[in-house]
CSV table of all heavy atoms in Angstrom, one decimal:
chain,number,residue,atom,x,y,z
F,7,LEU,N,73.4,-39.6,-34.4
F,7,LEU,CA,73.4,-38.1,-34.6
F,7,LEU,C,74.0,-37.7,-35.9
F,7,LEU,O,75.0,-38.4,-36.3
F,7,LEU,CB,74.1,-37.4,-33.4
F,7,LEU,CG,73.7,-37.8,-32.0
F,7,LEU,CD1,74.5,-37.0,-31.0
F,7,LEU,CD2,72.2,-37.6,-31.8
F,8,SER,N,73.5,-36.7,-36.5
F,8,SER,CA,74.1,-36.2,-37.7
F,8,SER,C,74.4,-34.7,-37.6
F,8,SER,O,73.6,-34.0,-36.9
F,8,SER,CB,73.2,-36.4,-38.9
F,8,SER,OG,73.1,-37.8,-39.1
F,9,CYS,N,75.4,-34.2,-38.3
F,9,CYS,CA,75.7,-32.8,-38.3
F,9,CYS,C,76.0,-32.4,-39.7
F,9,CYS,O,76.8,-33.1,-40.4
F,9,CYS,CB,77.0,-32.6,-37.4
F,9,CYS,SG,77.7,-30.9,-37.6
F,10,ALA,N,75.4,-31.3,-40.2
F,10,ALA,CA,75.6,-30.8,-41.5
F,10,ALA,C,76.4,-29.5,-41.3
F,10,ALA,O,75.9,-28.6,-40.6
F,10,ALA,CB,74.3,-30.6,-42.2
F,11,ALA,N,77.5,-29.3,-42.0
F,11,ALA,CA,78.3,-28.1,-42.0
F,11,ALA,C,78.0,-27.3,-43.3
F,11,ALA,O,77.8,-27.9,-44.3
F,11,ALA,CB,79.7,-28.4,-41.8
F,12,SER,N,78.0,-26.0,-43.1
F,12,SER,CA,77.6,-25.1,-44.2
F,12,SER,C,78.7,-24.9,-45.2
F,12,SER,O,78.4,-24.4,-46.3
F,12,SER,CB,77.1,-23.8,-43.7
F,12,SER,OG,78.2,-23.1,-43.0
F,13,GLN,N,80.0,-25.1,-44.9
F,13,GLN,CA,81.0,-24.7,-45.8
F,13,GLN,C,82.0,-25.9,-46.1
F,13,GLN,O,82.1,-26.7,-45.3
F,13,GLN,CB,81.7,-23.5,-45.3
F,13,GLN,CG,80.9,-22.2,-45.3
F,13,GLN,CD,81.7,-21.0,-45.1
F,13,GLN,OE1,83.0,-21.1,-45.0
F,13,GLN,NE2,81.1,-19.9,-45.0
F,14,SER,N,82.7,-25.8,-47.2
F,14,SER,CA,83.6,-26.9,-47.5
F,14,SER,C,84.9,-26.9,-46.7
F,14,SER,O,85.7,-27.8,-46.9
F,14,SER,CB,84.0,-26.8,-49.0
F,14,SER,OG,84.6,-25.6,-49.3
F,15,ILE,N,85.1,-25.9,-45.8
F,15,ILE,CA,86.2,-26.0,-45.0
F,15,ILE,C,86.2,-27.3,-44.1
F,15,ILE,O,87.2,-27.7,-43.6
F,15,ILE,CB,86.4,-24.8,-44.0
F,15,ILE,CG1,85.2,-24.7,-43.1
F,15,ILE,CG2,86.6,-23.5,-44.8
F,15,ILE,CD1,85.4,-23.6,-42.0
F,16,PHE,N,85.0,-27.8,-43.9
F,16,PHE,CA,84.8,-29.0,-43.2
F,16,PHE,C,85.8,-30.1,-43.6
F,16,PHE,O,86.3,-30.8,-42.8
F,16,PHE,CB,83.3,-29.4,-43.4
F,16,PHE,CG,83.0,-30.8,-42.9
F,16,PHE,CD1,82.5,-30.9,-41.6
F,16,PHE,CD2,83.2,-31.9,-43.6
F,16,PHE,CE1,82.1,-32.2,-41.1
F,16,PHE,CE2,82.9,-33.2,-43.2
F,16,PHE,CZ,82.3,-33.3,-41.9
F,17,SER,N,86.0,-30.2,-44.9
F,17,SER,CA,86.8,-31.3,-45.4
F,17,SER,C,88.3,-31.1,-45.1
F,17,SER,O,89.1,-32.0,-45.3
F,17,SER,CB,86.6,-31.5,-46.9
F,17,SER,OG,87.0,-30.3,-47.6
F,18,ARG,N,88.7,-29.9,-44.6
F,18,ARG,CA,90.1,-29.7,-44.4
F,18,ARG,C,90.4,-29.6,-42.9
F,18,ARG,O,91.6,-29.3,-42.6
F,18,ARG,CB,90.5,-28.3,-45.0
F,18,ARG,CG,90.2,-28.3,-46.5
F,18,ARG,CD,90.9,-27.1,-47.2
F,18,ARG,NE,90.5,-25.8,-46.7
F,18,ARG,CZ,89.5,-25.1,-47.2
F,18,ARG,NH1,88.8,-25.6,-48.2
F,18,ARG,NH2,89.2,-23.9,-46.7
F,19,LEU,N,89.5,-29.9,-42.1
F,19,LEU,CA,89.7,-29.7,-40.6
F,19,LEU,C,89.3,-30.9,-39.8
F,19,LEU,O,88.5,-31.7,-40.2
F,19,LEU,CB,88.8,-28.5,-40.1
F,19,LEU,CG,89.2,-27.2,-40.7
F,19,LEU,CD1,88.1,-26.1,-40.3
F,19,LEU,CD2,90.6,-26.7,-40.3
F,20,ARG,N,90.0,-31.1,-38.7
F,20,ARG,CA,89.6,-32.1,-37.8
F,20,ARG,C,88.3,-31.7,-37.1
F,20,ARG,O,88.0,-30.6,-36.8
F,20,ARG,CB,90.7,-32.3,-36.7
F,20,ARG,CG,90.5,-33.4,-35.8
F,20,ARG,CD,91.8,-33.7,-35.0
F,20,ARG,NE,91.6,-34.8,-34.0
F,20,ARG,CZ,91.8,-34.6,-32.7
F,20,ARG,NH1,92.2,-33.4,-32.2
F,20,ARG,NH2,91.6,-35.6,-31.9
F,21,MET,N,87.4,-32.7,-37.0
F,21,MET,CA,86.0,-32.4,-36.5
F,21,MET,C,85.7,-33.2,-35.3
F,21,MET,O,86.3,-34.3,-35.0
F,21,MET,CB,85.0,-32.8,-37.6
F,21,MET,CG,85.0,-32.0,-38.9
F,21,MET,SD,84.6,-30.2,-38.6
F,21,MET,CE,82.9,-30.4,-37.9
F,22,GLY,N,84.8,-32.7,-34.5
F,22,GLY,CA,84.4,-33.5,-33.3
F,22,GLY,C,83.0,-33.3,-32.8
F,22,GLY,O,82.3,-32.4,-33.3
F,23,TRP,N,82.6,-34.2,-32.0
F,23,TRP,CA,81.3,-34.1,-31.3
F,23,TRP,C,81.6,-33.8,-29.8
F,23,TRP,O,82.4,-34.4,-29.2
F,23,TRP,CB,80.5,-35.5,-31.3
F,23,TRP,CG,79.8,-35.7,-32.6
F,23,TRP,CD1,80.2,-36.4,-33.7
F,23,TRP,CD2,78.5,-35.1,-33.0
F,23,TRP,NE1,79.3,-36.3,-34.7
F,23,TRP,CE2,78.2,-35.6,-34.3
F,23,TRP,CE3,77.6,-34.3,-32.3
F,23,TRP,CZ2,77.0,-35.2,-34.9
F,23,TRP,CZ3,76.4,-34.0,-33.0
F,23,TRP,CH2,76.2,-34.4,-34.2
F,24,TYR,N,80.9,-32.8,-29.4
F,24,TYR,CA,81.0,-32.3,-28.0
F,24,TYR,C,79.6,-32.5,-27.3
F,24,TYR,O,78.6,-32.6,-28.0
F,24,TYR,CB,81.3,-30.8,-28.0
F,24,TYR,CG,82.6,-30.4,-28.7
F,24,TYR,CD1,82.7,-30.3,-30.1
F,24,TYR,CD2,83.7,-30.0,-27.9
F,24,TYR,CE1,83.8,-29.9,-30.7
F,24,TYR,CE2,84.8,-29.6,-28.5
F,24,TYR,CZ,84.9,-29.5,-29.9
F,24,TYR,OH,86.1,-29.1,-30.5
F,25,ARG,N,79.7,-32.6,-26.0
F,25,ARG,CA,78.4,-32.7,-25.3
F,25,ARG,C,78.5,-31.8,-24.0
F,25,ARG,O,79.6,-31.7,-23.4
F,25,ARG,CB,78.0,-34.1,-24.9
F,25,ARG,CG,78.9,-34.8,-23.9
F,25,ARG,CD,78.4,-36.3,-23.7
F,25,ARG,NE,79.2,-37.0,-22.7
F,25,ARG,CZ,79.1,-38.3,-22.5
F,25,ARG,NH1,78.3,-39.0,-23.3
F,25,ARG,NH2,79.9,-38.9,-21.6
F,26,GLN,N,77.3,-31.3,-23.6
F,26,GLN,CA,77.2,-30.6,-22.4
F,26,GLN,C,76.1,-31.1,-21.6
F,26,GLN,O,74.9,-31.0,-22.0
F,26,GLN,CB,77.0,-29.1,-22.7
F,26,GLN,CG,77.0,-28.2,-21.5
F,26,GLN,CD,77.1,-26.7,-21.8
F,26,GLN,OE1,76.8,-26.3,-22.9
F,26,GLN,NE2,77.6,-25.9,-20.8
F,27,ALA,N,76.4,-31.7,-20.4
F,27,ALA,CA,75.4,-32.2,-19.5
F,27,ALA,C,74.9,-31.0,-18.6
F,27,ALA,O,75.6,-30.0,-18.5
F,27,ALA,CB,75.9,-33.3,-18.7
F,28,PRO,N,73.7,-31.2,-18.1
F,28,PRO,CA,73.2,-30.1,-17.2
F,28,PRO,C,74.1,-29.8,-16.1
F,28,PRO,O,74.6,-30.7,-15.4
F,28,PRO,CB,71.9,-30.7,-16.6
F,28,PRO,CG,71.5,-31.7,-17.7
F,28,PRO,CD,72.8,-32.3,-18.2
F,29,GLY,N,74.5,-28.5,-15.9
F,29,GLY,CA,75.3,-28.0,-14.8
F,29,GLY,C,76.8,-28.3,-15.1
F,29,GLY,O,77.6,-28.1,-14.2
F,30,LYS,N,77.2,-28.8,-16.2
F,30,LYS,CA,78.6,-29.1,-16.5
F,30,LYS,C,79.1,-28.4,-17.7
F,30,LYS,O,78.3,-27.9,-18.5
F,30,LYS,CB,78.7,-30.6,-16.7
F,30,LYS,CG,78.4,-31.4,-15.5
F,30,LYS,CD,78.7,-32.9,-15.6
F,30,LYS,CE,78.5,-33.7,-14.4
F,30,LYS,NZ,78.8,-35.1,-14.5
F,31,GLN,N,80.4,-28.3,-17.9
F,31,GLN,CA,81.0,-27.7,-19.0
F,31,GLN,C,80.9,-28.6,-20.2
F,31,GLN,O,80.9,-29.8,-20.1
F,31,GLN,CB,82.4,-27.3,-18.7
F,31,GLN,CG,82.5,-26.2,-17.7
F,31,GLN,CD,83.8,-25.4,-17.8
F,31,GLN,OE1,84.8,-25.8,-18.5
F,31,GLN,NE2,83.9,-24.3,-17.1
F,32,ARG,N,80.9,-27.9,-21.4
F,32,ARG,CA,80.9,-28.7,-22.6
F,32,ARG,C,82.3,-29.4,-22.8
F,32,ARG,O,83.3,-28.8,-22.4
F,32,ARG,CB,80.7,-27.7,-23.8
F,32,ARG,CG,80.7,-28.4,-25.2
F,32,ARG,CD,80.6,-27.4,-26.3
F,32,ARG,NE,79.3,-26.8,-26.4
F,32,ARG,CZ,79.1,-25.5,-26.4
F,32,ARG,NH1,80.1,-24.7,-26.2
F,32,ARG,NH2,77.8,-25.0,-26.5
F,33,ARG,N,82.2,-30.6,-23.3
F,33,ARG,CA,83.5,-31.4,-23.4
F,33,ARG,C,83.5,-32.2,-24.7
F,33,ARG,O,82.4,-32.6,-25.2
F,33,ARG,CB,83.8,-32.3,-22.2
F,33,ARG,CG,82.7,-33.3,-21.9
F,33,ARG,CD,83.0,-33.9,-20.5
F,33,ARG,NE,84.3,-34.6,-20.5
F,33,ARG,CZ,85.0,-34.9,-19.4
F,33,ARG,NH1,84.5,-34.6,-18.3
F,33,ARG,NH2,86.1,-35.6,-19.5
F,34,LEU,N,84.7,-32.4,-25.3
F,34,LEU,CA,84.8,-33.2,-26.5
F,34,LEU,C,84.7,-34.7,-26.2
F,34,LEU,O,85.4,-35.1,-25.2
F,34,LEU,CB,86.2,-32.9,-27.1
F,34,LEU,CG,86.5,-33.6,-28.4
F,34,LEU,CD1,85.6,-33.2,-29.5
F,34,LEU,CD2,88.0,-33.4,-28.7
F,35,VAL,N,83.9,-35.4,-26.9
F,35,VAL,CA,83.7,-36.8,-26.6
F,35,VAL,C,84.3,-37.7,-27.8
F,35,VAL,O,84.6,-38.8,-27.5
F,35,VAL,CB,82.3,-37.2,-26.3
F,35,VAL,CG1,81.8,-36.6,-25.0
F,35,VAL,CG2,81.4,-36.9,-27.5
F,36,ALA,N,84.3,-37.1,-29.0
F,36,ALA,CA,84.8,-37.9,-30.1
F,36,ALA,C,85.4,-37.0,-31.2
F,36,ALA,O,84.8,-35.9,-31.4
F,36,ALA,CB,83.7,-38.8,-30.7
F,37,GLY,N,86.5,-37.4,-31.8
F,37,GLY,CA,87.1,-36.6,-32.8
F,37,GLY,C,87.5,-37.4,-34.0
F,37,GLY,O,87.8,-38.6,-33.8
F,38,ILE,N,87.6,-36.8,-35.2
F,38,ILE,CA,88.0,-37.5,-36.4
F,38,ILE,C,88.8,-36.6,-37.2
F,38,ILE,O,88.4,-35.4,-37.5
F,38,ILE,CB,86.7,-38.1,-37.1
F,38,ILE,CG1,87.2,-38.9,-38.3
F,38,ILE,CG2,85.8,-37.0,-37.6
F,38,ILE,CD1,86.1,-39.7,-38.9
F,39,SER,N,89.9,-37.1,-37.7
F,39,SER,CA,90.8,-36.3,-38.5
F,39,SER,C,90.5,-36.4,-40.0
F,39,SER,O,89.6,-37.2,-40.3
F,39,SER,CB,92.3,-36.8,-38.3
F,39,SER,OG,92.7,-36.6,-37.0
F,40,ILE,N,91.2,-35.6,-40.8
F,40,ILE,CA,90.9,-35.6,-42.2
F,40,ILE,C,91.1,-37.0,-42.8
F,40,ILE,O,90.4,-37.4,-43.7
F,40,ILE,CB,91.8,-34.6,-42.9
F,40,ILE,CG1,91.5,-33.2,-42.3
F,40,ILE,CG2,91.5,-34.6,-44.4
F,40,ILE,CD1,92.5,-32.1,-42.8
F,41,ASP,N,92.1,-37.7,-42.3
F,41,ASP,CA,92.4,-39.0,-42.9
F,41,ASP,C,91.5,-40.1,-42.3
F,41,ASP,O,91.7,-41.3,-42.6
F,41,ASP,CB,93.9,-39.4,-42.6
F,41,ASP,CG,94.2,-39.5,-41.1
F,41,ASP,OD1,93.3,-39.3,-40.3
F,41,ASP,OD2,95.4,-39.7,-40.8
F,42,GLY,N,90.6,-39.7,-41.4
F,42,GLY,CA,89.7,-40.7,-40.9
F,42,GLY,C,90.1,-41.3,-39.5
F,42,GLY,O,89.3,-42.1,-39.0
F,43,SER,N,91.2,-41.0,-39.0
F,43,SER,CA,91.6,-41.5,-37.7
F,43,SER,C,90.7,-40.9,-36.6
F,43,SER,O,90.4,-39.7,-36.7
F,43,SER,CB,93.1,-41.2,-37.5
F,43,SER,OG,93.4,-39.9,-37.5
F,44,THR,N,90.4,-41.7,-35.6
F,44,THR,CA,89.5,-41.3,-34.6
F,44,THR,C,90.1,-41.4,-33.2
F,44,THR,O,91.0,-42.1,-33.0
F,44,THR,CB,88.2,-42.1,-34.7
F,44,THR,OG1,88.5,-43.5,-34.5
F,44,THR,CG2,87.5,-42.0,-36.0
F,45,ASP,N,89.5,-40.6,-32.3
F,45,ASP,CA,89.8,-40.8,-30.9
F,45,ASP,C,88.6,-40.4,-30.1
F,45,ASP,O,87.7,-39.7,-30.5
F,45,ASP,CB,91.0,-39.9,-30.5
F,45,ASP,CG,90.8,-38.5,-30.9
F,45,ASP,OD1,90.2,-37.7,-30.0
F,45,ASP,OD2,91.1,-38.1,-32.0
F,46,TYR,N,88.5,-41.0,-28.9
F,46,TYR,CA,87.3,-40.9,-28.0
F,46,TYR,C,87.7,-40.7,-26.6
F,46,TYR,O,88.7,-41.1,-26.1
F,46,TYR,CB,86.5,-42.2,-28.1
F,46,TYR,CG,86.1,-42.6,-29.5
F,46,TYR,CD1,86.8,-43.4,-30.3
F,46,TYR,CD2,84.8,-42.1,-30.0
F,46,TYR,CE1,86.4,-43.7,-31.6
F,46,TYR,CE2,84.4,-42.5,-31.3
F,46,TYR,CZ,85.2,-43.3,-32.1
F,46,TYR,OH,84.8,-43.6,-33.4
F,47,GLU,N,86.8,-40.0,-25.9
F,47,GLU,CA,86.9,-39.9,-24.5
F,47,GLU,C,86.7,-41.3,-23.9
F,47,GLU,O,85.9,-42.1,-24.4
F,47,GLU,CB,85.8,-38.9,-23.9
F,47,GLU,CG,85.8,-38.7,-22.5
F,47,GLU,CD,84.6,-37.9,-22.0
F,47,GLU,OE1,83.5,-38.4,-21.9
F,47,GLU,OE2,84.8,-36.7,-21.7
F,48,ASP,N,87.4,-41.6,-22.8
F,48,ASP,CA,87.3,-42.9,-22.2
F,48,ASP,C,85.9,-43.4,-21.9
F,48,ASP,O,85.6,-44.6,-22.1
F,48,ASP,CB,88.1,-43.0,-20.9
F,48,ASP,CG,89.6,-43.0,-21.2
F,48,ASP,OD1,90.0,-43.2,-22.4
F,48,ASP,OD2,90.4,-42.8,-20.2
F,49,SER,N,85.0,-42.5,-21.5
F,49,SER,CA,83.7,-42.9,-21.1
F,49,SER,C,82.8,-43.4,-22.2
F,49,SER,O,81.8,-44.1,-22.0
F,49,SER,CB,83.0,-41.7,-20.4
F,49,SER,OG,82.7,-40.7,-21.3
F,50,VAL,N,83.2,-43.1,-23.5
F,50,VAL,CA,82.4,-43.5,-24.6
F,50,VAL,C,83.1,-44.5,-25.5
F,50,VAL,O,82.5,-45.0,-26.5
F,50,VAL,CB,81.9,-42.3,-25.5
F,50,VAL,CG1,81.3,-41.3,-24.6
F,50,VAL,CG2,83.1,-41.7,-26.2
F,51,LYS,N,84.4,-44.9,-25.2
F,51,LYS,CA,85.1,-45.8,-26.0
F,51,LYS,C,84.4,-47.1,-26.1
F,51,LYS,O,83.9,-47.7,-25.1
F,51,LYS,CB,86.5,-46.0,-25.5
F,51,LYS,CG,87.5,-44.9,-25.8
F,51,LYS,CD,88.9,-45.2,-25.3
F,51,LYS,CE,89.8,-44.1,-25.6
F,51,LYS,NZ,91.2,-44.3,-25.0
F,52,GLY,N,84.3,-47.7,-27.3
F,52,GLY,CA,83.7,-49.0,-27.5
F,52,GLY,C,82.2,-48.9,-27.7
F,52,GLY,O,81.5,-49.9,-28.0
F,53,ARG,N,81.6,-47.7,-27.4
F,53,ARG,CA,80.1,-47.5,-27.5
F,53,ARG,C,79.8,-46.5,-28.6
F,53,ARG,O,78.7,-46.7,-29.3
F,53,ARG,CB,79.6,-47.0,-26.2
F,53,ARG,CG,79.8,-48.0,-25.0
F,53,ARG,CD,79.0,-47.6,-23.8
F,53,ARG,NE,79.4,-46.2,-23.3
F,53,ARG,CZ,78.6,-45.2,-23.2
F,53,ARG,NH1,77.3,-45.3,-23.5
F,53,ARG,NH2,79.1,-44.0,-22.7
């Protein structure tokens, strides 16, 4: 998946991928900081 952001504030903020399954609330599954450090929801770690 790819995401394009419209403004340069992108480079100054922590970013994430969220997902919303049918009938469920949106949740964060992966995040990345400005310095490149990452974190993942347990269900997607390693994948």
Side-chain angles (χ1 to χ4, degrees):
L7 307 184
S8 293
C9 167
S12 63
Q13 293 191 5
S14 61
I15 61 170
F16 171 93
S17 64
R18 303 196 298 270
L19 298 171
R20 190 165 174 239
M21 295 294 301
W23 279 99
Y24 299 76
R25 71 183 179 188
Q26 186 169 20
K30 297 188 177 180
Q31 291 206 347
R32 183 185 285 124
R33 58 191 298 160
L34 177 67
V35 295
I38 185 167
S39 299
I40 300 169
D41 64 1
S43 59
T44 60
D45 55 90
Y46 301 91
E47 182 186 75
D48 285 348
S49 66
V50 307
K51 280 182 182 176
R53 300 188 298 120

